[in-house]
Amino acid sequence: MNRINQFNEYREKMNARIMDTDHLGIKRFFNLDTAAYKPGALDSKTKELMGLTASMVLRCNDCIDYHILECVKCGISDQELLEAFNVALVIGGSIVIPHLRHAVETMDMARTGTS
Amino acid sequence: MNRINQFNEYREKMNARIMDTDHLGIKRFFNLDTAAYKPGALDSKTKELMGLTASMVLRCNDCIDYHILECVKCGISDQELLEAFNVALVIGGSIVIPHLRHAVETMDMARTGTS
Amino acid sequence: MNRINQFNEYREKMNARIMDTDHLGIKRFFNLDTAAYKPGALDSKTKELMGLTASMVLRCNDCIDYHILECVKCGISDQELLEAFNVALVIGGSIVIPHLRHAVETMDMARTGTS
Amino acid sequence: MNRINQFNEYREKMNARIMDTDHLGIKRFFNLDTAAYKPGALDSKTKELMGLTASMVLRCNDCIDYHILECVKCGISDQELLEAFNVALVIGGSIVIPHLRHAVETMDMARTGTS
Amino acid sequence: MNRINQFNEYREKMNARIMDTDHLGIKRFFNLDTAAYKPGALDSKTKELMGLTASMVLRCNDCIDYHILECVKCGISDQELLEAFNVALVIGGSIVIPHLRHAVETMDMARTGTS
Amino acid sequence: MNRINQFNEYREKMNARIMDTDHLGIKRFFNLDTAAYKPGALDSKTKELMGLTASMVLRCNDCIDYHILECVKCGISDQELLEAFNVALVIGGSIVIPHLRHAVETMDMARTGTS
């Protein structure tokens, strides 16, 4: 089982545990988070690319992985992902580079079915 | 002269001064920054929305203003801007709210021609 | 009119404008934000001190001002505020110092009725 | 040996090594850090909750673990911890979610004695 | 009176007010902060350049101004400052650009005696 | 193979993969990044110390490791590294402590040849 599967499994297990705490504020936040990426005035593809860019400049590998997988589901190509990576790199600077390495690896894993 | 005009004037004056220092690394960085938003695998509209979202979660008012003005030039509507603001708010949290106020004011100024 | 009154006036005006956009996600986020500080397992005093500390380490003057004013409403003393400032300073480091200056000034303005 | 024990062991080993370097500034910083959480105008419980919230919005898992363990020692309940997690989630946004998963897991480990 | 004089005046006034609160932890932190830039294994010039770079990537204009003024006192040249600005720009990315504009303006004010 | 060797191996493999994508913007950014640390108005030793301090306050372990290894190559002593760690700790606060532990461990590994 590779790191993307491990991430998805842990994410699902802990999200279930969090829902289980039955904290109303936290549950509502999770609903808001899900709703934010639903198509509206902007389509899901654009929103996922925005989420990916924000995750990269904020330097969160788990969030980067999540949004790359969603981008791939939306039919976003490698060339489009690389353009998003480049915008994030220019905005966020060289401190983003370790996360760029991670992102490119995730992109490759998502494509080759090793995920 | 409103705050957007003041920002644009200061930005142009200081960018000219920075170019004037003739520092090769800084000049190249500015070129890279400009190039990152040119249409490629992703169009300018998508890239400007990504730049706007990143600017909001990183909480930089000058960058927010710059990208809102570019978004308006790209023909992005208020409804689309609000969707981007919402994604940034959910990702970045309530610490983004003061910048959301600023962003909505800039959006309104850009529309009413008071800029 | 001092800077705290100006902040409150601008905050109210722009919050009203934001509600006016009628964006469901943004409205829900504002509701969640308000609800988070209501007394529950923790009382409002503790929650406002937590909000203040988080605002200081994230270095947002508007958020610092808002939470200091709420702390004062909750009956939190200057000595208690100073303890919170100290915890934020130790966690966030010297980069917090400009915001500590701002916070102490706000604390003084809130006490002397010049707000 | 679970991850909390590993963290505590590594933390103690490296803190000892850091003290061993005998750098006066660093030693004084560690003393200041310890002193900041001692009961004063605010009690330790409030200070630990403030430290926990700050650690979550700054997204540092090691700091989160440390403060959760201190909170548990202070007699803070799960319901109180969840309230702190919720305040941190609202302030810091969805980028905090991976750290919320980690925090809930640490809370559970601290309770079940698997730590 | 230009903005650097205003900054210095406000800084001195509020630092005095902070000392006046007589909070032991805060006073000790200020002492640690001052001590960190004293010459030791590294000279003051190197330490001020490190402080400047850190202030730029953390995007704090007050801290940038403080360290540029200290750098000038240490005899650091414009060419050396520009090299530090460039390292900060590459590490921190385009989000640093508004602070680069501010920094270059401060550098010029410090040189022309308008400060 | 210790963690520094693993880091170097992964870094080289993924940097090669990134170059392989042949994205012009990303390649140019990597060139700018390399060029920023070449001796110019400031020598490499000073620049690496600036890069190290920035990496610590931005809390990126991979960047910290990279710059410590470069510092060691430049002939920077442990006492000088500790001074840089201290400046970063004071600027960035206790949230830097987990990265200070990591940095001291990396410094020791680099010295004892276990890297």
Side-chain angles (χ1 to χ4, degrees):
Chain A
M1 192 170 70
N2 68 16
R3 71 163 168 79
I4 296 184
N5 291 330
Q6 281 173 336
F7 162 66
N8 278 328
E9 216 170 81
Y10 180 76
R11 187 178 165 274
E12 277 167 43
K13 185 185 81 173
M14 291 312 303
N15 282 5
R17 171 68 188 101
I18 290 168
M19 287 307 107
D20 207 47
T21 64
D22 218 34
H23 189 286
L24 188 59
I26 294 176
K27 285 169 99 163
R28 282 188 177 155
F29 191 97
F30 274 64
N31 286 338
L32 265 190
D33 184 30
T34 304
Y37 298 94
K38 298 274 184 231
L42 296 171
D43 59 20
S44 290
K45 183 179 156 175
T46 305
K47 288 181 168 189
E48 287 299 336
L49 285 166
M50 285 158 45
L52 173 59
T53 310
S55 300
M56 289 187 79
V57 298
L58 291 172
R59 302 186 280 129
C60 172
N61 278 351
D62 281 2
C63 309
I64 290 169
D65 286 351
Y66 176 77
H67 286 294
I68 289 178
L69 296 174
E70 291 301 308
C71 282
V72 168
K73 284 185 203 162
C74 290
I76 294 171
S77 71
D78 277 14
Q79 285 310 309
E80 290 172 315
L81 284 176
L82 286 168
E83 287 279 89
F85 295 169
N86 182 50
V87 169
L89 181 61
V90 167
I91 296 174
S94 69
I95 207 82
V96 170
I97 290 177
H99 304 275
L100 173 64
R101 288 185 199 114
H102 184 88
V104 169
E105 190 181 58
T106 299
M107 178 181 80
D108 286 347
M109 291 169 90
R111 297 300 181 197
T112 60
T114 63
S115 68
Chain B
M1 192 171 67
N2 68 14
R3 71 164 167 77
I4 296 184
N5 291 330
Q6 281 172 336
F7 161 66
N8 278 328
E9 215 170 81
Y10 180 77
R11 187 177 164 274
E12 277 168 42
K13 185 184 81 173
M14 292 312 302
N15 281 6
R17 170 69 186 102
I18 289 167
M19 287 306 109
D20 208 47
T21 63
D22 218 35
H23 189 286
L24 188 60
I26 295 175
K27 284 169 100 164
R28 282 187 177 154
F29 191 97
F30 274 65
N31 286 338
L32 264 190
D33 184 30
T34 304
Y37 298 94
K38 298 276 183 229
L42 296 171
D43 59 19
S44 289
K45 183 178 158 176
T46 304
K47 288 182 168 189
E48 287 300 335
L49 285 166
M50 285 159 46
L52 173 59
T53 310
S55 299
M56 290 188 79
V57 299
L58 290 173
R59 303 186 279 129
C60 172
N61 278 350
D62 281 2
C63 308
I64 290 170
D65 286 350
Y66 176 77
H67 284 295
I68 289 179
L69 296 173
E70 292 299 308
C71 282
V72 168
K73 284 185 204 163
C74 290
I76 294 170
S77 71
D78 277 14
Q79 285 310 308
E80 290 171 315
L81 284 176
L82 286 167
E83 287 279 88
F85 295 168
N86 182 51
V87 169
L89 181 61
V90 167
I91 296 174
S94 69
I95 208 82
V96 170
I97 290 178
H99 304 276
L100 174 65
R101 289 186 199 114
H102 184 89
V104 169
E105 190 181 58
T106 299
M107 178 181 80
D108 286 347
M109 291 170 90
R111 297 299 181 198
T112 60
T114 63
S115 68
Chain C
M1 192 172 66
N2 67 15
R3 72 163 168 76
I4 297 184
N5 291 329
Q6 281 173 337
F7 161 66
N8 278 328
E9 214 170 84
Y10 180 76
R11 187 177 166 274
E12 277 167 44
K13 185 184 80 172
M14 291 314 302
N15 281 6
R17 170 68 187 102
I18 289 168
M19 287 306 109
D20 208 47
T21 64
D22 218 34
H23 189 286
L24 189 59
I26 295 175
K27 285 169 100 163
R28 282 187 177 155
F29 191 96
F30 274 64
N31 287 338
L32 264 191
D33 184 30
T34 304
Y37 298 94
K38 299 274 183 230
L42 297 171
D43 58 20
S44 290
K45 184 178 156 176
T46 305
K47 288 182 168 188
E48 287 299 336
L49 285 166
M50 285 158 45
L52 174 58
T53 310
S55 299
M56 288 188 80
V57 299
L58 290 173
R59 303 187 278 128
C60 172
N61 278 350
D62 282 1
C63 309
I64 289 169
D65 286 350
Y66 176 77
H67 285 293
I68 288 178
L69 296 174
E70 292 300 307
C71 282
V72 168
K73 284 185 203 162
C74 291
I76 294 171
S77 71
D78 277 15
Q79 286 310 309
E80 291 171 314
L81 284 176
L82 285 167
E83 288 279 88
F85 296 168
N86 183 51
V87 169
L89 181 61
V90 167
I91 296 174
S94 68
I95 207 82
V96 170
I97 290 178
H99 304 276
L100 174 64
R101 289 185 199 113
H102 184 89
V104 170
E105 190 181 56
T106 299
M107 178 181 80
D108 287 347
M109 292 169 89
R111 296 298 180 199
T112 60
T114 62
S115 68
Chain D
M1 192 171 68
N2 67 15
R3 72 164 167 78
I4 296 184
N5 292 329
Q6 282 173 336
F7 162 67
N8 278 328
E9 215 169 83
Y10 180 77
R11 186 178 165 274
E12 277 168 42
K13 184 185 81 173
M14 291 312 302
N15 281 5
R17 170 69 187 102
I18 289 168
M19 288 305 109
D20 208 47
T21 64
D22 218 34
H23 189 286
L24 189 60
I26 295 174
K27 284 169 100 162
R28 282 188 177 154
F29 191 97
F30 274 64
N31 287 338
L32 265 191
D33 183 31
T34 304
Y37 298 95
K38 298 275 184 232
L42 296 171
D43 59 20
S44 289
K45 183 179 156 176
T46 305
K47 288 182 168 189
E48 286 300 334
L49 285 166
M50 285 159 44
L52 173 58
T53 310
S55 300
M56 288 187 80
V57 299
L58 290 173
R59 303 186 280 128
C60 172
N61 278 350
D62 281 2
C63 309
I64 290 169
D65 286 350
Y66 176 77
H67 285 293
I68 289 179
L69 296 173
E70 293 300 308
C71 283
V72 168
K73 284 185 204 164
C74 291
I76 294 170
S77 71
D78 277 15
Q79 285 310 309
E80 291 171 315
L81 284 176
L82 286 167
E83 287 279 89
F85 296 168
N86 182 50
V87 169
L89 181 61
V90 167
I91 296 175
S94 68
I95 207 82
V96 170
I97 290 178
H99 305 275
L100 174 64
R101 287 184 200 114
H102 184 88
V104 170
E105 189 180 58
T106 299
M107 179 181 79
D108 286 347
M109 291 169 90
R111 298 298 181 199
T112 60
T114 62
S115 68
Chain E
M1 193 170 67
N2 68 14
R3 71 163 168 78
I4 296 184
N5 291 330
Q6 281 173 336
F7 161 66
N8 277 328
E9 215 169 82
Y10 181 76
R11 187 177 165 274
E12 277 168 42
K13 186 184 80 173
M14 291 312 303
N15 281 6
R17 170 68 187 105
I18 289 167
M19 287 306 108
D20 208 47
T21 63
D22 218 35
H23 189 287
L24 188 59
I26 295 176
K27 284 168 99 165
R28 282 187 178 154
F29 191 97
F30 274 65
N31 287 338
L32 264 191
D33 183 30
T34 304
Y37 298 94
K38 298 276 184 228
L42 296 171
D43 59 19
S44 290
K45 183 178 156 175
T46 304
K47 287 182 169 189
E48 287 299 336
L49 286 166
M50 285 159 45
L52 173 59
T53 310
S55 299
M56 289 188 80
V57 299
L58 290 173
R59 302 186 280 129
C60 172
N61 278 350
D62 281 1
C63 309
I64 289 169
D65 286 351
Y66 176 78
H67 285 294
I68 288 178
L69 296 173
E70 292 301 307
C71 282
V72 168
K73 284 185 204 162
C74 290
I76 293 171
S77 70
D78 277 14
Q79 286 311 308
E80 290 171 315
L81 284 176
L82 286 167
E83 288 278 89
F85 296 168
N86 182 52
V87 169
L89 180 62
V90 167
I91 295 174
S94 68
I95 208 81
V96 170
I97 290 178
H99 304 275
L100 174 64
R101 288 183 200 114
H102 184 88
V104 170
E105 191 181 57
T106 299
M107 178 181 80
D108 286 347
M109 292 170 90
R111 296 300 181 199
T112 60
T114 63
S115 68
Chain F
M1 192 170 69
N2 68 15
R3 71 163 168 78
I4 296 184
N5 291 330
Q6 281 172 336
F7 161 67
N8 277 328
E9 216 170 80
Y10 180 76
R11 186 177 166 274
E12 277 169 42
K13 185 185 81 173
M14 291 312 303
N15 281 5
R17 171 67 187 102
I18 289 168
M19 287 307 108
D20 208 47
T21 63
D22 218 35
H23 188 286
L24 188 60
I26 295 175
K27 284 169 100 162
R28 282 187 178 156
F29 191 96
F30 274 64
N31 286 338
L32 265 190
D33 184 30
T34 304
Y37 298 94
K38 297 275 185 231
L42 296 171
D43 59 19
S44 290
K45 183 179 156 175
T46 305
K47 288 182 169 189
E48 286 300 335
L49 285 166
M50 286 158 44
L52 173 59
T53 310
S55 299
M56 289 188 80
V57 300
L58 291 173
R59 302 186 280 129
C60 172
N61 278 349
D62 282 1
C63 308
I64 290 169
D65 286 351
Y66 176 78
H67 285 294
I68 289 178
L69 296 174
E70 292 300 308
C71 282
V72 168
K73 284 185 203 162
C74 290
I76 294 170
S77 71
D78 277 14
Q79 285 310 309
E80 291 172 315
L81 284 176
L82 285 167
E83 287 278 269
F85 295 168
N86 182 51
V87 169
L89 181 62
V90 168
I91 296 174
S94 69
I95 208 82
V96 170
I97 290 177
H99 305 275
L100 174 64
R101 289 185 199 112
H102 184 88
V104 170
E105 190 181 57
T106 299
M107 179 181 79
D108 287 347
M109 291 169 90
R111 297 301 180 196
T112 59
T114 63
S115 68

